[in-house]
Amino acid sequence: MAKKSFKKTYKFAAYTSTYITLFLTLIMGVFFYVEGTMSYWWLFLFFSISYIFSFFIIQNRVEKFIYKRIQKIYNDVKLLDATTFSPQQITTDMETLTKQVERFAENKKLEIETLKIRENYRKEFIGNVSHELKTPLFTVQGYILTLLEGAYKDKAVRKKYLQRANKGVERLIYIIKDLDMITKLEAGGLHLNREDFNIIELVQNVFDLLEMKAAKKNISLTFDIEYEDSIFVNADRERMQQVLTNLVENSIKYGVTGGTTEVSIEDLIKNKVIVRISDNGEGIKEEHIPRLFERFFRVDKSGSRKVGGSGLGLSIVKHIVEAHNEKIYVESQFEVGSEFSFTLEKAK
């Protein structure tokens, strides 16, 4: 059964048989010459028989040798599953066989490295989720236990503690909603309702929505120029509002008091525009930039967290932009400011 599965190549057997037969025929020719009984017919017959016999013996032995040795390697090395290297791939051409084994080994090495990266990412993700959920859960539990221990008798304390516990629950709901959103985005289960809309109007809506939050830090929300004409794009309006809200809100959170958040919309190519959100906030260190869009990654590693949020905002932004088949970019200089930008398709 094993023999039938070989991919037979005869190059090695043919060359080797030729060398052996020529050598034997040369010896036989010298013998005939010395004896004085030179017969070219018998020499040709000897050559033919020797070649055929050598060819079939060598081919058969090489096939068995290669098959048994390769099978033994894969049976001994448990890490490499022999079933993934099917017998149909086994060949008597050593060069081809070597390349196949090398390619197989490289693929397995890549798979192992990928699994290690995923395992590290999984551990980090679980740790981050635990950390994000732990704080509001303990807060809610603390207020409820305090009330159960007798604080509920004081009406003023009861109301205050219930309100604080409610804020903790709201934060939990906020994190879970973001987790649900990013799960759908990563699974490709988010349906986009594309439509043509005025991106200038949408940005202004986001400014109006975050005006009070910006006012608390005396941060100005502004366009780079006064846009007299509308700029229509084709995208999911609700999701784009979520993208803009997250990016502008981040610029407010990490912005300096009395700073500015500026939005600009520029033509990129014939059918694309690029939306830029820039600020003069605290900026981001260069080593943190490659990880900005990872789930739960925060530049602020302190346990207290200077700002709130689920830690999923930028990851959601990236997934929404990429779901539109667009690109998102970030440029930042520490203690100078940051600029996030993404492309959008123009309305036709």
Side-chain angles (χ1 to χ4, degrees):
M1 190 70 182
K3 289 182 182 179
K4 293 179 182 178
S5 61
F6 282 116
K7 176 186 173 184
K8 294 188 178 182
T9 58
Y10 303 102
K11 191 193 299 183
F12 177 80
Y15 284 147
T16 307
S17 299
T18 302
Y19 296 145
I20 292 172
T21 304
L22 285 173
F23 178 72
L24 292 175
T25 303
L26 180 63
I27 292 174
M28 185 60 70
V30 172
F31 176 77
F32 283 156
Y33 179 78
V34 171
E35 291 293 322
T37 56
M38 178 65 73
S39 173
Y40 292 103
W41 166 250
W42 282 106
L43 206 59
F44 175 76
L45 185 62
F46 176 80
F47 178 89
S48 301
I49 293 172
S50 297
Y51 182 84
I52 294 169
F53 181 77
S54 300
F55 178 84
F56 282 106
I57 291 294
I58 292 168
Q59 180 71 15
N60 182 264
R61 294 305 301 160
V62 167
E63 285 179 356
K64 286 185 177 180
F65 174 81
I66 291 174
Y67 180 76
K68 287 180 180 179
R69 288 298 179 92
I70 294 297
Q71 283 299 105
K72 188 176 186 304
I73 289 171
Y74 283 94
N75 288 333
D76 289 345
V77 184
K78 300 298 182 183
L79 183 62
L80 302 178
D81 184 3
T83 58
T84 61
F85 188 84
S86 62
Q88 283 78 7
Q89 293 175 294
I90 298 174
T91 172
T92 56
D93 182 351
M94 293 304 295
E95 184 179 354
T96 303
L97 179 62
T98 302
K99 288 180 180 178
Q100 288 175 349
V101 173
E102 287 176 353
R103 186 162 55 247
F104 177 81
E106 282 296 322
N107 290 338
K108 284 299 176 185
K109 183 181 177 182
L110 185 61
E111 284 179 24
I112 292 167
E113 289 175 352
T114 303
L115 287 172
K116 285 181 179 178
I117 292 169
R118 287 180 180 176
E119 177 63 16
N120 291 333
Y121 184 77
R122 184 189 65 82
K123 288 178 181 177
E124 187 174 347
F125 175 70
I126 290 173
N128 285 331
V129 171
S130 300
H131 181 86
E132 294 296 333
L133 295 177
K134 180 174 64 179
T135 304
L137 274 173
F138 285 174
T139 300
V140 172
Q141 185 186 43
Y143 287 128
I144 291 174
L145 287 174
T146 304
L147 289 170
L148 289 173
E149 287 171 0
Y152 71 91
K153 295 176 182 178
D154 187 324
K155 188 176 180 180
V157 172
R158 182 172 69 231
K159 183 178 180 181
K160 182 174 72 173
Y161 279 20
L162 285 173
Q163 285 174 339
R164 290 180 179 178
N166 184 58
K167 285 184 178 179
V169 172
E170 285 178 352
R171 175 159 169 73
L172 282 170
I173 293 170
Y174 182 67
I175 292 171
I176 290 167
K177 280 184 176 178
D178 278 357
L179 277 171
D180 183 57
M181 166 70 73
I182 203 165
T183 301
K184 287 179 180 177
L185 287 165
E186 290 183 347
L190 186 70
H191 177 67
L192 297 176
N193 297 310
R194 284 181 171 272
E195 59 179 306
D196 294 345
F197 61 90
N198 183 3
I199 188 67
I200 302 295
E201 182 184 319
L202 187 64
V203 173
Q204 187 59 57
N205 289 344
V206 171
F207 282 172
D208 294 341
L209 183 69
L210 299 172
E211 186 178 11
M212 291 183 65
K213 188 172 285 190
K216 288 179 182 178
K217 294 181 71 174
N218 195 28
I219 291 176
S220 301
L221 304 179
T222 181
F223 286 100
D224 63 323
I225 59 172
E226 186 175 342
Y227 290 92
E228 297 178 355
D229 299 325
S230 300
I231 299 176
F232 283 91
V233 296
N234 181 264
D236 186 315
R237 182 188 176 94
E238 183 181 344
R239 299 303 175 197
M240 279 302 115
Q241 179 163 335
Q242 189 176 3
V243 167
L244 287 165
T245 302
N246 271 328
L247 293 176
V248 173
E249 192 171 24
N250 266 3
S251 74
I252 295 170
K253 284 179 185 178
Y254 298 100
V256 293
T257 301
T260 301
T261 294
E262 183 181 272
V263 176
S264 65
I265 299 99
E266 305 168 15
D267 287 331
L268 186 62
I269 54 176
K270 186 177 180 181
N271 64 328
K272 299 277 186 182
V273 296
I274 186 164
V275 182
R276 305 181 191 273
I277 299 93
S278 54
D279 62 61
N280 56 353
E282 58 189 58
I284 305 160
K285 290 182 179 178
E286 188 176 350
E287 63 264 28
H288 295 314
I289 292 177
R291 299 192 61 193
L292 274 182
F293 297 104
E294 289 182 16
R295 291 177 291 183
F296 293 115
F297 177 77
R298 290 178 186 266
V299 174
D300 174 24
K301 296 293 183 182
S302 65
S304 59
R305 308 289 201 202
K306 291 193 291 183
V307 294
S310 67
L312 294 167
L314 286 178
S315 186
I316 289 172
V317 164
K318 182 175 183 287
H319 279 87
I320 291 175
V321 171
E322 289 182 347
H324 285 77
N325 296 318
E326 302 295 345
K327 300 289 185 183
I328 186 164
Y329 310 94
V330 57
E331 292 181 12
S332 186
Q333 189 174 344
F334 188 58
E335 295 184 344
V336 174
S338 304
E339 179 183 281
F340 288 82
S341 58
F342 59 92
T343 59
L344 280 177
E345 186 179 341
K346 288 182 183 179
K348 294 179 182 178

